Amino acid sequence: MIRLALTLIIACVLYVDSLSVARSLIVNGKGGGHVAIGYHLAKELNSKGHEVTILQNCDVDNNKVPFSSYSSLDAEIVTMPFDDDFEYPFKAQFDFVFDNNSKSPDGPVESALLAAKPAKQRYTFVGSAGIYEKPSSHPHNIPLDESMPTNGEKGAAQFEAALTSTDIPHIIFRCQYIYGPLCPKHYLDYYTYRINNNLPVPIPAPGTQLVSLTDVRDVAEQLGKVVDALPPSGSIFNTGTFNDLKHNYIDVANLIGKGLGKTPEVKLYDPDVKTDFPFRAKEFFVKSGKSVKELSFSGGSQTLEGFLGELVSSFESRSPNIDTSKDAGVLKAGV
Ligand SMILES: *[C@@H]1O[C@H](CO)[C@@H](O)[C@H](O)[C@H]1NC(C)=O
């Protein structure tokens, strides 16, 4: 009898445990162009039934996107100073952690996170493709894949190495430029402002450099695949979609021209000249298919074309003042 009762109790405990909701922690950055990832990722994880907590540096402006939209999320937002006195605030381990904050292994938040081993299943570091070191022999039109050499002097590369040296089960994503709803950095204003004001758009020659521009919602979908696919610890993925990998710098001008109903006047300049052009002057784009193969990522459902309407209306409502005073000099120098 006692044995039966015990068996029932154990069965119940196991059953309840299997029903328990997965818990995810998003450690969000403070600002910069990519801080909207946390918002969209929280929604993505909610849609998978996860209980989501966002750990957020309190030193942000809550009236600005994406923070002004946090209240619409089904997430617990924990804000605190990310300073030298930082102490990791959670007791229980999360199933998944997504870290888009860490900049180097030695920062106070970074080292507290690594010491806390906060993820039972996977710790996903959302870092940057900016750490790739493209060899000068790299052929034109060939994207950088995950096996490319990286620059160990960059903080994000050092954080990757530190994470890899722990026994925390981990995944690394390396991202490039993003756009989309609630993104505070508007890379494309460079184009939109000039085209809208009938000014020439200086583009580094030859202008056919491909660029990885990814909608933040696709990035969120891609990151979220970690919880379904549970890729082997140590896996590295570039972000990016198939849709958005077909644009070169001139295409982007033509697309935005279409959105504004204007014909852009593209002018090429010498890519060695330093300017405010928002992307790298020389070709630098990543291969994104690995997560399609290994994580069953759809390859993305958004497109820059599809976002044009929103892009133009966001531009009009912000009406940014872009400094174009250097353009004439840049163009005069020739190609
Ligand atoms: C956050 O993610 C973006 C990728 O979209 C990346 O560019 C950025 O460097 C990441 N931030 C940190 C601190 O790693």
Side-chain angles (χ1 to χ4, degrees):
M1 191 60 195
I2 289 178
R3 206 198 257 169
L4 179 66
L6 273 180
T7 314
L8 277 176
I9 288 171
I10 291 171
C12 277
V13 168
L14 288 177
Y15 180 69
V16 168
D17 191 52
S18 73
L19 280 186
S20 73
V21 176
R23 296 172 64 244
S24 283
L25 171 69
I26 298 171
V27 188
N28 207 25
K30 169 174 150 184
H34 302 100
V35 72
I37 289 178
Y39 172 88
H40 294 282
L41 181 58
K43 285 192 134 174
E44 185 70 24
L45 293 169
N46 281 156
S47 78
K48 296 177 193 289
H50 282 221
E51 229 174 72
V52 178
T53 303
I54 299 182
L55 179 60
Q56 179 73 60
N57 191 331
C58 62
D59 187 15
V60 300
D61 185 345
N62 288 314
N63 297 316
K64 292 211 169 127
V65 291
F67 312 112
S68 51
S69 296
Y70 269 10
S71 57
S72 70
L73 288 174
D74 184 11
E76 187 193 357
I77 318 277
V78 176
T79 59
M80 53 196 287
F82 280 15
D83 61 11
D84 284 346
D85 298 325
F86 180 88
E87 275 179 46
Y88 181 72
F90 307 106
K91 297 229 156 53
Q93 255 188 331
F94 289 87
D95 296 290
F96 296 91
V97 173
F98 292 86
D99 170 10
N100 189 211
N101 174 71
S102 293
K103 290 170 197 67
S104 82
D106 314 318
V109 180
E110 287 90 336
S111 38
L113 276 168
L114 291 177
K117 303 192 193 294
K120 226 183 288 178
Q121 305 257 30
R122 294 291 181 277
Y123 186 109
T124 299
F125 175 52
V126 186
S128 170
I131 66 172
Y132 286 126
E133 244 186 355
K134 185 170 122 170
S136 53
S137 58
H138 192 79
H140 171 59
N141 245 332
I142 304 291
L144 305 172
D145 68 30
E146 291 83 352
S147 69
M148 275 286 149
T150 58
N151 179 348
E153 311 225 309
K154 297 217 167 165
Q158 291 169 3
F159 186 81
E160 284 190 4
L163 179 61
T164 304
S165 72
T166 67
D167 56 1
I168 303 171
H170 64 276
I171 305 298
I172 290 164
F173 278 88
R174 296 176 182 152
C175 319
Q176 270 205 275
Y177 307 108
I178 61 170
Y179 67 90
L182 304 185
C183 287
K185 179 155 175 159
H186 303 276
Y187 291 106
L188 298 168
D189 279 356
Y190 177 94
Y191 286 93
T192 318
Y193 180 85
R194 289 171 172 82
I195 299 169
N196 192 48
N197 290 288
N198 306 311
L199 296 168
V201 186
I203 288 181
T208 51
Q209 304 90 314
L210 288 168
V211 56
S212 312
L213 266 171
T214 311
D215 189 296
V216 62
R217 292 164 290 186
D218 285 332
V219 175
E221 185 205 326
Q222 197 168 13
L223 299 174
K225 288 295 175 193
V226 166
V227 315
D228 306 321
L230 282 183
S233 176
S235 302
I236 302 176
F237 300 96
N238 292 328
T239 64
T241 65
F242 291 155
N243 293 330
D244 284 325
L245 253 185
K246 55 176 194 265
H247 304 304
N248 66 38
Y249 292 158
I250 296 175
D251 297 334
V252 173
N254 289 327
L255 260 177
I256 294 179
K258 215 161 90 186
L260 291 165
K262 299 202 177 207
T263 307
E265 186 193 343
V266 166
K267 290 242 167 106
L268 300 178
Y269 67 84
D270 174 355
D272 286 324
V273 174
K274 228 176 139 22
T275 73
D276 299 329
F277 188 69
F279 310 122
R280 295 200 186 205
K282 308 253 166 91
E283 181 175 87
F284 189 85
F285 72 109
V286 302
K287 192 167 172 179
S288 60
K290 192 174 174 218
S291 66
V292 172
K293 238 193 291 166
E294 296 181 20
L295 304 180
S296 308
F297 170 51
S298 67
S301 53
Q302 309 295 334
T303 62
L304 191 52
E305 288 91 330
F307 189 66
L308 277 182
E310 246 184 275
L311 186 122
V312 168
S313 60
S314 147
F315 174 83
E316 283 168 349
S317 69
R318 288 178 294 112
S319 125
N321 206 354
I322 306 287
D323 179 9
T324 58
S325 59
K326 283 189 237 139
D327 286 12
V330 166
L331 292 174
K332 214 162 92 200
V335 176

